[in-house]
Amino acid sequence: MAGPVSHSVPKSSGTSSNKRFAFGVMTSLFFIWGFITALNDVLIPHLKAAFELSYLQAGLVQFCFFGAYFVVSPFAGRLLERIGYKRGVIVGLIGVAAGCSIFYPAAEMEVYAVFLLALFVLASGITILQVSANPYVAILGEDRHAASRLNLAQAINSLGHTLGPRFGAALIFGGGVTAVTAEAVQLPYLILAGVALTTAGIFAFLKLPVIESSDASAESDTVMGSVWQHKRLVLGALAIFMYVGAEVSVGSYLVNYFAESHIMSMSNYEASKMVSYYWGAALIGRFIGAALTFFIRPNIILAVNGVLAIVCIFVSVFTEGPTAMWSILAVGLFNSIMFPTIFAMAITGLGKLTSRGSGLLVQGIVGGALLPLLQGLVADMTSVQLSFLVPAFAYIYISWYALIGSKTDLDSVEVTQS
């Protein structure tokens, strides 16, 4: 059990107005990676058709994308300790631009493996952004409002998720054109590369509050061991694993699901536009969650949302037509507050270990790599509809963490408000 950490609680420098400005510009990063991540839901069915892939093979898109979080997160945490949060943001944006640029030669070569490499590089940049921005927003103010701030920032992330599929449907599927070619991804990803580089240039000139530790003494050589001693953090990383895996699994197969004859018989273009409702529901939920977490304990909201997500999935799996479609889209509403709430609860009280704790939590995003593969395997063996039972089990763990796991070692951690 971890000992008291009241001597090393991170704090942010700067005036209140400067902190509000910093929060505002940081939300632009949440929008960017949300926009890019949601494009995968359009990219998967496109590449599946272009390369005649099975569901399991198409699931490698998410495996390579979210697998980068697992590989890069530990290094990202150490990188931030050396260069700071602001420079970490700039490095992350450059990585995003590099990954997006690789899509052009990948399309020219028409090699699926090169697309997967591009996704890995792109996601590596996003990983550094996440490790930088999430704890920065959480620390940028009072601890008791950390969950609310992260919910608001994640609402902007959901706005990116909502608009991303529309962008992909228009440029990748060409507004409904039936011909499927690898070259269709070149223009949208080149545009994103330009946006990332421009944003990196802007951040280079911004003056943002510096996150400092209240204790200037050097960390011990056993600092990583002490991170693992925070059980609430470790269980929270697993909750992040389950949440991201469930959210990505559901979103990854919506286009193919809505194309099923007994569901909606939609074309890929029409179904891609419907994916926006899934992420749009999360957008609405996060704005609501940002307000509710001021008055209701975050773990209670998390538990209720977990149970309601399970109910929606079961309704969709055992019905047909519009009922099946709208109930699975409603899962997005209950996903809304999960990531920021879990993140804020798990990272509380880490003090000087905050950057490494953030790295561990972001490493849990690897769930987005593995659960879609498992769902794809189940879809190949049974049906797309039954495969949605896979994320349902993930929400069971999330509900347990909300009520029980998040309370682990709380009593042994003392936090002094800065």
Side-chain angles (χ1 to χ4, degrees):
M1 206 69 71
V5 294
S6 58
H7 63 286
S8 59
V9 178
K11 60 182 180 180
S12 57
S13 65
T15 63
S16 296
S17 60
N18 194 19
K19 290 179 181 179
R20 286 194 294 269
F21 172 77
F23 176 79
V25 296
M26 278 292 172
T27 58
S28 68
L29 304 177
F30 285 76
F31 178 87
I32 289 172
W33 79 61
F35 190 97
I36 293 174
T37 302
L39 276 181
N40 289 351
D41 297 337
V42 177
L43 190 64
I44 287 173
H46 179 78
L47 295 180
K48 183 178 185 297
F51 292 99
E52 299 181 352
L53 307 172
S54 67
Y55 283 111
L56 180 61
Q57 291 171 324
L60 289 174
V61 166
Q62 302 291 31
F63 178 79
C64 289
F65 189 89
F66 289 97
Y69 285 82
F70 183 78
V71 174
V72 177
S73 292
F75 302 103
R78 290 178 172 84
L79 177 67
L80 292 187
E81 291 176 357
R82 291 179 175 271
I83 68 175
Y85 291 96
K86 176 183 170 180
R87 290 179 180 174
V89 166
I90 295 172
V91 171
L93 287 168
I94 292 173
V96 168
C100 289
S101 299
I102 298 175
F103 272 81
Y104 195 93
E108 290 292 319
M109 297 167 64
E110 295 187 348
V111 177
Y112 185 49
V114 182
F115 277 105
L116 298 180
L117 172 63
L119 286 161
F120 184 88
V121 175
L122 169 58
S124 296
I126 293 179
T127 300
I128 298 173
L129 288 182
Q130 292 242 28
V131 176
S132 302
N134 278 300
Y136 190 93
V137 169
I139 296 167
L140 202 64
E142 297 181 12
D143 286 348
R144 63 193 181 95
H145 293 151
S148 181
R149 285 193 301 277
L150 274 174
N151 268 298
L152 184 55
Q154 288 289 337
I156 305 303
N157 177 264
S158 289
L159 178 60
H161 271 94
T162 303
L163 297 178
R166 294 275 177 171
F167 175 81
L171 293 185
I172 294 178
F173 283 121
V177 176
T178 55
V180 179
T181 62
E183 288 79 6
V185 304
Q186 289 178 321
L187 177 59
Y189 280 93
L190 281 180
I191 293 174
L192 293 173
V195 170
L197 286 177
T198 300
T199 307
I202 293 173
F203 264 84
F205 291 98
L206 292 179
K207 292 186 177 181
L208 301 176
V210 177
I211 301 300
E212 304 168 331
S213 172
S214 59
D215 181 8
S217 62
E219 295 181 34
S220 68
D221 294 334
T222 61
V223 68
M224 283 306 293
S226 60
V227 168
W228 287 98
Q229 289 171 14
H230 287 260
K231 293 184 179 179
R232 188 175 72 261
L233 171 67
V234 175
L235 294 175
L238 182 55
I240 292 289
F241 176 97
M242 293 296 183
Y243 157 70
V244 177
E247 180 185 55
V248 173
S249 290
V250 172
S252 296
Y253 298 102
L254 288 179
V255 173
N256 295 110
Y257 186 41
F258 297 157
E260 295 281 300
S261 59
H262 66 291
I263 304 299
M264 295 301 293
S265 296
M266 289 181 170
S267 67
N268 282 345
Y269 173 66
E270 294 171 330
S272 295
K273 292 193 295 183
M274 293 304 297
V275 175
S276 291
Y277 288 98
Y278 175 66
W279 298 110
L283 169 64
I284 295 171
R286 279 172 175 161
F287 279 117
I288 296 173
L292 290 180
T293 47
F294 264 94
F295 310 104
I296 303 174
R297 289 165 55 190
N299 68 307
I300 299 300
I301 298 176
L302 179 62
V304 170
N305 279 29
V307 171
L308 291 176
I310 295 169
V311 171
C312 287
I313 289 176
F314 273 85
V315 169
S316 184
V317 167
F318 296 107
T319 58
E320 297 181 353
T323 301
M325 180 183 73
W326 289 110
S327 57
I328 200 67
L329 289 174
V331 173
L333 177 65
F334 305 113
N335 278 336
S336 58
I337 56 88
M338 290 187 180
F339 183 91
T341 302
I342 294 170
F343 197 99
M345 290 192 298
I347 208 169
T348 299
L350 291 183
K352 291 170 64 178
L353 302 176
T354 297
S355 62
R356 295 196 182 188
S358 174
L360 180 62
L361 289 173
V362 174
Q363 203 171 11
I365 294 177
V366 72
L370 300 180
L371 262 64
L373 277 184
L374 178 59
Q375 183 170 348
L377 179 61
V378 173
D380 286 331
M381 295 173 61
T382 57
S383 67
V384 179
Q385 187 169 26
L386 287 176
S387 72
F388 283 104
L389 291 175
V390 172
F393 286 101
Y395 290 116
I396 294 175
Y397 174 82
I398 292 170
S399 300
W400 173 85
Y401 178 76
L403 297 176
I404 301 174
S406 62
K407 296 181 179 180
T408 304
D409 77 14
L410 270 176
D411 294 336
S412 65
V413 177
E414 300 175 4
V415 179
T416 302
Q417 298 291 338
S418 58

